[in-house]
Each structure stands twice: as C-alpha cells, then as structure tokens.
C-alpha cells in the first residue's frame, strides 16, 4: 500500500477565501457603509479610509489563511483508512475506516468545472453534526476522486476475503468492473419544466428577498422612495396591481429557473450496492446512497401534480448527513404510470401493490372532529365582528368536513410478508413502503373516544438521517392495529389468516 | 384484544408524581396570592378572589390527585425475550413495541427527588427513538438495564 500523501488542488485556497468572504459579506458591507459614506475631510487619511484599510487587511488575512489551510491539508490511504491531516493553528488528524464510509458525495461547483475538479464529501453514519460531513476534500481532480473510490473498493474486498468466525468459506467474488452500472431513471426536459413550474420554490425566494431587504432596510432611502411611490400611486390602482403582479411573475420565473438549474440532467444510476443520483447544471452534484441504508420508500402525490398524472418518490436514508442526506428525492417527478418499473428495479423486494385495506366508517368522524375546536371560535368571532359577511365563514365548516372525509377515504394500508404499506393524505397523498426490519419501534394510540368506537391510531417510526420519520394510519380498526402490532412483535410467530388457520386445523384433524 | 403488559411501575413513583404536583401547585398558589393582593390593593371586583381560589383548588386536585393516579394506573411495561412493550398516557393511551434487536443503548438517570425515594428512570434508545420508563426501584432499573443490554447484544448489524 502506498503511503503517498495527496494534496488538494490550489483552487482550494480560492474557494476557502470566497467561503469566508461569503460569511463575512454582510458585516463587511455594514462596516463599509457605516464608515465609507461619512463626510470626508477629518484631515487624517487613516480615519477617512479606515473602512477600506480594514477591508483590505481582512482580505489579505483571508487569503493568507486560505493558502495556509490549503498547504496544511493532506490526505492519504493507510491500513484501509482514509486519513486526513489539516488545521490552521492546531494540526488535526482524522482517520476514517473505509468500511464506515456511507457515501462519497461529489459536487462540481462553478469554480471546479473548468479545471475538471470535484468536491468530495465523506459521509459516515455517525456524523456528529447535521450540517458538517465527516470530511470534505474541497477540490481534487476527478482521477484522484476515482482513486479514493477504487481504494475503498479494494479495502472492502480485502475485508470480505477474510474468513468469518463461524468458518463458512467465503467465495472470492471477482470484481466486475462497471458491468452492473445501470441507468434507472432520467428526467426529460418536459418533466423538468413541469417540476420547476409546480414546485413551491416561490415561498423560498420571497422569504429570501424579504431577508435580503430587511438587511438593507437602513440604507434604503425611504423618503425618496415614498415620494416616488406616492406619485406612482396616483397613476391608479390598476398600475400598482400590475406592478405587483409583474413582481410575482418575476419571482416565480426566478424560482423556476433555480429549480431548472439545480435539477438539470437528473439521473439515477444503480451501481451494484449503491444508488447514484446526479443532477445540476451550474453546480453538478452527485450523491451516492448505499442501498442497505435505505429505510423507507415514499410515493408523494401532490394534488396539483396528480392532475397531470405525476408523482414524486422520496427515500429516507440512515446516512449521517442532515436534511439532504436523510430525505432524498429519488424521482423528483415521474409519471404515476411509470413508477413501478424503475422502483422495482432498484428495490426488487418491494411489493408495490396498492394498499387495499380501507378504514372503518366508525373512524370517519375523528378526521374532522378536532377541527371544531378552532373552527367554532373563529366562525363565532368573524360572525360577530363582521356581522352580515362574517357569517360567510360558516362555509369553513363543510369545507373542513369534506377535507376530513377526503382524508378518510384516501387512507389505506396493507400487510404483505415483511412489508407494511401505509397510505394517508395530508394534502398530498403519501404512500409509504416500510420493511419490518427497518421499523425502529411501533406505537398504537387510543384516546377515550377512540376506545369507545374501537378504533386506534398506529405509528411506525423509521430512522431518517439523525432523526425519525413517522408513518401513521389514523383512526383505523382497533383489532387491525393490534394485528399489525402482533405482526411486528418478534416473539409472536406470524399469524395466519383465521380462515387458513381453521383450514389447517381441519387438515390436522383429518390426519389424526 | 391484546393483553396489557404485566409490570407496573413502583408505587413510590406515584408519590414522586404527587410531590411534583404539590410543587407545581405551590407555584400557582403563589401566583394566586399575588393576584389576591393586587385585587385588595386596587379594589378590583370581589369575584376575582373566587376565581383565583377556584383555579388553585382545581389545578391542585388535577395535578396532585387525579392525573398522577390515572397515569400510574395506566403505566405498564414488560420486558420479554425479544421485545419491550410499554403502555402509558393520560388522555391518549400509547402502546409501544420496541424489538430487542432495535435497542441501541439503555440509560438510567436519577435526580435528587428520585434518589430520595430510591428510584431511577430508565431510557431505552433505538437508532431513531427514545422511550422512558419514569420510575423504577433503582435495583430493578439496574437489573433491567443489564438484562436489556445482554439481550440487545444479539442485535443485527443493520441500522
């Protein structure tokens, strides 16, 4: 094994500087404006130009630390571990055993692409913080990234070759180079367009704009603007409305463009034991999810997209990362009719039948009953304070009831072998496929009214990143909830259907 | 109908809960006294006294007497060969099933009040969820922790 030590590409220093600058940009701007726009002429140049001097010194300091950070960073392979040494003042060493590595995520930013570089994030199960990955190689050549992968594969092979304790001879499997790599899913331009236009990105952009504006509120010349606007308003409400509308259109267009860029070229590839997801136009991202880390598969049908016959598929992974590492968009948008093919190619064991067991009529009222607690006061208040028109709020009641009935009708579940399928509706219809061995714990909940109606709510918790994802069937038949609990209970042998059980007993009787 | 888990938590747990209830009620009593004093000083209407007294009595009854009792009667657990079953909840009865192979670790913890009563709470953690049994005799908790950790050692490698 070579103990050769590797360095990152020099662009790392630039990226480090830019990263620090990005974090510092707001304080710097504030500093700049606070000092720079004051009346000149105190006579002392170092006071007049204080902000520029500070700015310059900081910039140089960032540059120097960036270069030192880059110079100090080293990684190498030793004893089946990825070893990293880095640190500005304190030299830190980190050793990551190859078989603990969950995934190597590749990102190609704008700075990486012209130089054919890639950023590699190393994820392990025990990543301590949600935001930070275990190790990050800010910029290395693609060949170097390949080398890490082949080094990792070699290490795993060596590990497998060692005979295990119970003496079972392990057959040495020849490495099949790239033979098993299959493309499972890609998104067409049309799909991409629909995804971008129907996404909820607007909210994100609006709030982003709000935050941006609030940061600059002190610098905006309000008086000037006020005059401008008041003369603007004189042109009439129509123009104002059109301006606001145009503003929304622009914001929406921006969000569409952002979605388009980040999901451009989306493809899912199956590489032996890993799912590899690639996406992005300006910043190319590649994410590797080991198949055996996938905890649950969820099909989400947003009513809006459902109209076009589309759905989305999300998987929950037990990987270490934060939100991004835990809930992964496997198929961001896919024709409902075309889900089964690629999904069963990735998860051959999954039973993708529609869950058929419906909920009892006895549980129906629970879907909207709790809502009366907020509805009645709201309707009462509106009706009282805005007397004639406020009474229109009475319409909320049938709406909420119909919504509840819709949820009740949509919910269903199915047990098949080692798999539990749960379907429920928030606003979108969600179908979750859970394997028994992936469920961490299960809970059945009943309040007094539930008990009287012999219904219960069932919660199944699965791991999702560092947290939990709960799949639930609300207000189902009590006996059915108990049956699913018994199905989950390890010490109870799987019960057969009552009818087959009777049949078997009769068979036994006949034999005797 | 599933049978309930067999073990109940220690009867001393009920006493501890009542103690917590008394402490919380004392805080509310202080608030009520404050309101009473203000009412006296500013000569607010007399019925405020009645409401303050009523709130204290009602809250006291609920959190010193009724809630701990119901909760204690409801709390049951059972540690079997291959799973742990819990039942608890005041308004909503929750029955939780945790297979042994899912258990990652078991903690016991003991605050000053629990220590005085020789009790400990025990927390069972899976890869995703935490489950707490609130009051067990210390010895029992230690025993349970040992037993679970032995049983949980058979855990499979997959998360």
């Amino acid at each position: 094994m070579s103990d050769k030590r590797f360095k990152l590409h020099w662009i790392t220093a630039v990226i480090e500087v830019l990263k620090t600058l990005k974090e510092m940009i707001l304080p710097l701007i504030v500093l700049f404006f606070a000092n720079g726009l004051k009346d000149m002429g105190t006579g002392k140049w170092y006071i007049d130009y204080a902000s520029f001097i500070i700015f310059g010194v900081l910039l140089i300091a960032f540059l120097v630390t960036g270069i030192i950070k880059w110079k100090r960073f080293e990684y190498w392979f030793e004893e089946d571990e990825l070893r990293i040494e880095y640190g500005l003042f304190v030299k830190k060493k980190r050793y990551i055993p190859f078989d603990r590595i969950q995934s190597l995520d590749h990102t190609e930013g704008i700075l990486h692409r012209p130089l054919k570089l890639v950023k590699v994030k190393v994820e392990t199960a025990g990543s301590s913080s949600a935001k930070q990955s275990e190790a990050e190689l800010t910029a290395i050549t693609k060949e170097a990234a390949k080398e890490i992968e082949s080094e990792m594969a070699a290490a795993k092979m060596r590990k497998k070759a060692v005979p295990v304790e119970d003496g079972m001879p392990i057959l040495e499997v020849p490495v099949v180079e790239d033979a098993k790599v299959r493309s499972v899913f890609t998104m067409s331009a049309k799909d991409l367009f629909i995804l971008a236009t129907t996404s909820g990105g607007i909210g994100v952009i609006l709030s982003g704009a709000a935050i941006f504006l609030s940061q600059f509120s002190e610098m905006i010349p309000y008086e000037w603007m006020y005059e401008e606007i008041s003369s603007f308003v004189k042109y009439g409400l129509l123009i104002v409305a059109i301006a606001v509308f145009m503003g929304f259109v622009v914001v929406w267009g921006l969000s569409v463009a952002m979605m388009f860029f980040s999901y451009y070229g989306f493809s899912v590839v199956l590489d032996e034991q890993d799912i590899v997801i690639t996406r992005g136009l300006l910043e190319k991202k590649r994410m590797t999810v080991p198949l055996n880390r996938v905890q649950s598969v969820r099909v989400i049908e947003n009513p809006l997209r459902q109209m076009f016959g589309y759905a989305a598929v999300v998987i929950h992974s037990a990987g270490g990362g934060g939100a991004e590492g835990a809930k992964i968009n496997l198929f961001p948008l896919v024709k409902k009719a075309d889900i089964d093919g690629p999904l069963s190619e990735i998860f051959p064991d999954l039973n993708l039948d529609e869950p058929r067991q419906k909920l009892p009529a006895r549980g129906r009222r629970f879907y909207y009953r709790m809502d009366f607690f907020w509805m009645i006061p709201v309707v009462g208040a509106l009706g009282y304070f805005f007397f004639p028109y406020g009474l229109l709020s009475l319409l909320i009641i049938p709406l909420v009831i119909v919504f509840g009935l819709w949820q009740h009708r949509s919910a269903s579940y199915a047990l098949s072998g080692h798999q539990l399928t749960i379907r429920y509706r928030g606003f979108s219809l969600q179908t979750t496929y859970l394997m028994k061995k992936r469920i961490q714990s299960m809970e059945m909940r009943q309040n007094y009214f539930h008990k009287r109606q012999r219904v219960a709510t069932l919660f199944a918790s699965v791991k999702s990143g560092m947290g939990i994802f709960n799949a639930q069937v609300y207000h189902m038949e009590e006996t059915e909830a108990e049956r699913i609990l018994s199905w989950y209970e390890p010490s109870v042998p799987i019960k057969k259907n009552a009818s087959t059980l009777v049949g078997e007993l009769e068979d036994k009787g006949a034999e005797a | 109908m599933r049978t309930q888990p067999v073990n109940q938590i220690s009867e001393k747990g009920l006493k501890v809960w009542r103690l917590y209830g008394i402490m919380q009620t004392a805080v509310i009593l202080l608030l009520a006294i404050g309101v009473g004093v203000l009412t006296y000083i500013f000569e607010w209407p007399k019925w405020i006294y009645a409401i303050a007294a009523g709130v204290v009595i009602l809250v006291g009854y609920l959190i010193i007497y009724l809630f701990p009792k119901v909760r204690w009667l409801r709390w049951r657990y059972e540690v079997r060969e291959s799973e742990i079953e819990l039942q608890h909840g005041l308004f909503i009865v929750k029955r939780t099933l945790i297979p042994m192979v899912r258990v990652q670790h078991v903690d016991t913890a003991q605050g000053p009040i629990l220590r005085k009563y020789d009790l400990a709470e025990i927390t069972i953690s899976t890869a995703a969820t935490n489950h707490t049994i609130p009051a067990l005799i210390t010895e029992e908790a230690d025993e349970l922790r040992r037993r679970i950790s032995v049983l949980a050692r058979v855990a499979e490698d997959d998360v």
Side-chain angles (χ1 to χ4, degrees):
Chain A
M1 199 189 305
S2 67
D3 280 8
K4 199 181 153 215
R5 297 194 171 207
F6 300 93
K7 285 227 168 282
L8 304 181
H9 192 267
W10 59 265
I11 200 93
T12 306
V14 179
I15 295 173
E16 287 289 343
V17 172
L18 287 179
K19 217 174 12 183
T20 330
L21 266 185
K22 206 171 98 190
E23 279 161 26
M24 292 289 293
I25 198 85
L26 275 176
L28 277 179
I29 286 174
V30 169
L31 185 82
F32 188 79
F33 276 91
N35 280 316
L37 292 182
K38 253 190 264 167
D39 290 336
M40 296 290 179
T42 44
K44 290 175 183 128
W45 63 272
Y46 53 86
I47 295 181
D48 290 345
Y49 296 103
S51 63
F52 296 101
I53 293 165
I54 294 171
F55 191 80
V57 168
L58 276 177
L59 204 63
I60 291 166
F62 290 162
L63 201 65
V64 171
T65 52
I67 290 172
I68 295 175
K69 267 188 192 166
W70 162 61
K71 279 273 180 201
R72 279 279 177 109
F73 198 104
E74 273 183 337
Y75 71 91
W76 70 98
F77 315 115
E78 203 179 314
E79 289 176 18
D80 289 349
E81 284 181 333
L82 173 65
R83 300 190 168 179
I84 295 170
E85 203 174 287
Y86 64 102
L88 189 57
F89 299 111
V90 185
K91 210 157 211 195
K92 294 171 200 160
K93 291 182 182 182
R94 177 167 275 170
Y95 295 174
I96 306 167
F98 277 127
D99 55 340
R100 284 273 164 256
I101 294 178
Q102 295 287 321
S103 67
L104 296 168
D105 294 348
H106 293 199
T107 314
E108 289 173 47
I110 302 170
L111 285 173
H112 292 97
R113 302 192 78 177
L115 297 162
K116 299 240 170 0
L117 299 175
V118 68
K119 178 170 97 179
V120 178
K121 280 204 306 196
V122 181
E123 299 277 8
T124 65
S127 289
S128 43
S129 87
K131 269 191 191 153
Q132 226 172 349
S133 53
E134 206 75 345
E136 196 174 288
L137 308 176
T138 316
I140 54 173
T141 57
K142 282 187 182 165
E143 292 83 63
K146 276 246 170 66
E147 198 173 332
I148 298 177
E149 262 169 37
S150 59
E151 198 72 39
M152 195 166 107
K156 280 183 182 167
M157 282 309 297
R158 277 197 290 279
K159 179 123 188 169
K160 263 188 200 163
V162 177
V164 287
E165 278 172 282
D166 46 15
M168 282 276 284
I170 301 256
L171 295 172
E172 191 131 351
V173 190
V175 191
V176 188
E177 276 295 322
D178 290 351
K180 280 198 168 171
V181 178
R182 283 171 298 166
S183 175
V184 180
F185 176 77
T186 48
M187 262 170 89
S188 69
K190 185 183 147 219
D191 290 350
L192 197 59
F193 180 72
I194 294 178
L195 171 72
T197 45
T198 56
S199 77
I202 293 180
V204 177
I205 291 212
L206 274 183
S207 55
I211 290 167
F212 184 74
L213 284 179
S214 70
Q215 294 282 357
F216 285 91
S217 61
E218 282 171 30
M219 290 161 219
I220 296 171
Y222 275 116
E223 279 176 37
W224 171 79
M225 262 173 59
Y226 182 72
E227 278 168 29
E228 285 289 300
I229 288 173
S230 57
S231 61
F232 181 60
V233 172
K234 281 182 201 138
Y235 286 112
L237 221 57
L238 182 69
I239 292 183
V240 174
I242 289 174
V244 168
F245 179 71
M246 290 307 285
F248 271 104
V249 169
V250 168
V251 164
W252 180 70
L254 269 177
S255 92
V256 168
M258 264 170 60
M259 279 298 273
F260 194 83
F261 284 140
S262 73
Y263 279 92
Y264 181 84
F266 190 98
S267 78
V268 179
V269 171
L270 205 57
D271 181 0
E272 287 186 55
Q273 291 307 302
D274 300 322
I275 307 169
V276 182
I277 300 172
T278 323
R279 68 183 171 93
L281 183 63
L282 296 179
E283 197 181 46
K284 211 171 172 187
K285 290 196 170 184
R286 207 187 86 165
M287 186 192 277
T288 313
V289 186
L291 270 176
N292 59 5
R293 290 282 149 186
V294 175
Q295 307 289 305
S296 74
V297 179
R298 187 149 57 106
V299 177
I300 301 173
E301 292 167 66
N302 175 327
L304 185 68
R305 290 178 182 165
Q306 214 176 354
M307 282 197 302
F308 298 98
Y310 282 100
V313 179
V314 161
I315 51 177
H316 289 271
S317 155
E324 207 182 337
K327 192 183 141 202
I328 298 153
N329 282 320
L330 186 64
F331 309 153
L333 191 75
V334 59
K335 271 255 185 259
K336 181 78 169 69
D338 300 338
I339 285 184
D340 288 11
L343 207 53
S344 56
E345 194 165 346
I346 301 175
F347 307 105
D349 299 338
L350 219 56
N351 177 358
L352 293 169
D353 294 343
E354 301 268 309
R356 295 226 178 277
Q357 298 265 36
K358 289 287 179 189
L359 305 189
R362 275 179 280 123
R364 196 183 287 146
R365 69 189 75 168
F366 293 105
Y367 276 89
Y368 50 81
R369 184 187 270 176
M370 283 306 277
D371 291 318
F372 283 103
F373 280 98
W374 65 263
M375 276 194 300
I376 301 288
V378 166
V379 169
L382 284 173
Y384 181 79
F385 288 112
F386 305 94
F387 169 60
Y389 301 111
L391 287 178
L392 283 176
S393 59
L394 279 170
L395 286 175
I396 299 177
I397 295 176
L399 271 179
V400 168
I401 290 178
V402 167
F403 186 59
L405 294 180
W406 192 34
Q407 289 183 323
H408 174 258
R409 270 180 67 127
S410 307
S412 59
Y413 61 93
L415 265 189
S416 63
H418 287 283
Q419 184 189 325
L420 172 63
T421 311
I422 288 176
R423 168 175 287 177
Y424 70 96
R425 182 185 289 283
F427 190 63
S428 301
L429 187 67
Q430 319 221 8
T431 313
T432 311
Y433 302 95
L434 300 158
M435 302 306 280
K436 187 175 177 181
K437 66 171 183 178
R438 296 297 189 200
I439 301 173
Q440 298 289 338
S441 69
M442 218 170 202
E443 192 164 282
M444 172 177 140
R445 295 183 180 181
Q446 263 186 320
N447 62 27
Y448 172 74
F449 301 102
H450 275 146
K451 221 173 252 174
R452 240 179 26 181
Q453 292 295 332
R454 300 190 310 284
V455 295
T457 293
L458 194 78
F459 280 79
S461 307
V462 293
K463 191 172 162 60
S464 165
M466 305 297 286
I468 331 171
F469 167 69
N470 279 319
Q472 60 272 79
V473 201
Y474 288 108
H475 322 305
M476 69 190 300
E477 188 89 51
E478 185 187 46
T479 51
E480 286 290 291
E482 283 176 351
R483 184 170 77 98
I484 295 175
L485 268 192
S486 315
W487 164 81
Y488 182 59
E489 202 169 342
S491 63
V492 173
I494 296 169
K495 269 181 201 154
K496 287 162 186 147
N497 268 336
S499 56
T500 55
L501 203 67
V502 171
E504 249 171 69
L505 284 175
E506 280 169 355
D507 285 351
K508 272 193 186 151
E511 274 170 33
Chain B
M1 194 66 188
R2 285 176 72 86
T3 47
Q4 293 194 76
V6 286
N7 307 57
Q8 284 196 299
I9 61 173
S10 163
E11 204 153 338
K12 283 192 273 181
L14 183 61
K15 277 188 199 153
V16 172
W17 284 339
R18 294 238 154 99
L19 201 62
Y20 289 148
I22 290 170
M23 291 195 296
Q24 282 159 350
T25 312
V27 173
I28 290 172
L29 183 66
L30 280 178
L31 283 176
I33 290 171
V35 170
V37 170
L38 287 176
T39 310
Y40 181 76
I41 294 171
F42 296 106
E43 295 179 357
W44 287 336
K46 293 268 188 292
W47 48 262
I48 291 181
Y49 291 120
I51 287 185
V55 165
V56 171
I57 289 167
L58 183 70
V59 168
Y61 170 73
L62 289 179
I63 67 179
I64 296 174
Y65 178 74
L66 193 65
F67 289 174
K69 189 178 156 196
V70 173
R71 198 176 279 149
W72 187 83
L73 283 173
R74 191 69 43 77
W75 239 113
R76 280 161 185 277
Y77 68 95
E78 192 172 339
V79 181
R80 293 192 286 266
E81 192 77 359
S82 48
E83 75 262 328
I84 302 160
E85 189 168 357
L86 310 175
Q87 175 192 286
H88 62 115
L90 185 61
F91 296 108
I92 299 171
V93 185
K94 298 169 192 154
R95 298 190 64 168
T96 316
L97 204 61
I98 312 144
M100 276 304 174
V101 292
R102 298 281 125 221
V103 176
Q104 298 278 324
H105 57 264
V106 185
D107 303 317
T108 50
Q110 201 176 35
I113 295 175
L114 284 179
R115 184 160 29 229
K116 186 171 172 288
Y117 284 89
D118 191 30
L119 292 174
E121 62 172 37
I122 183 162
T123 304
I124 301 150
S125 305
T126 70
T129 55
N130 290 325
H131 310 271
T132 304
I133 306 176
L136 289 178
I137 304 283
T138 310
E139 232 171 81
E140 226 175 289
D142 288 339
E143 165 65 26
L144 197 60
R145 191 185 56 210
R146 220 181 44 241
R147 215 171 116 207
I148 292 174
S149 77
V150 168
L151 289 170
R153 219 165 285 163
V154 299
E156 296 154 33
D157 205 16
D158 59 358
V159 172

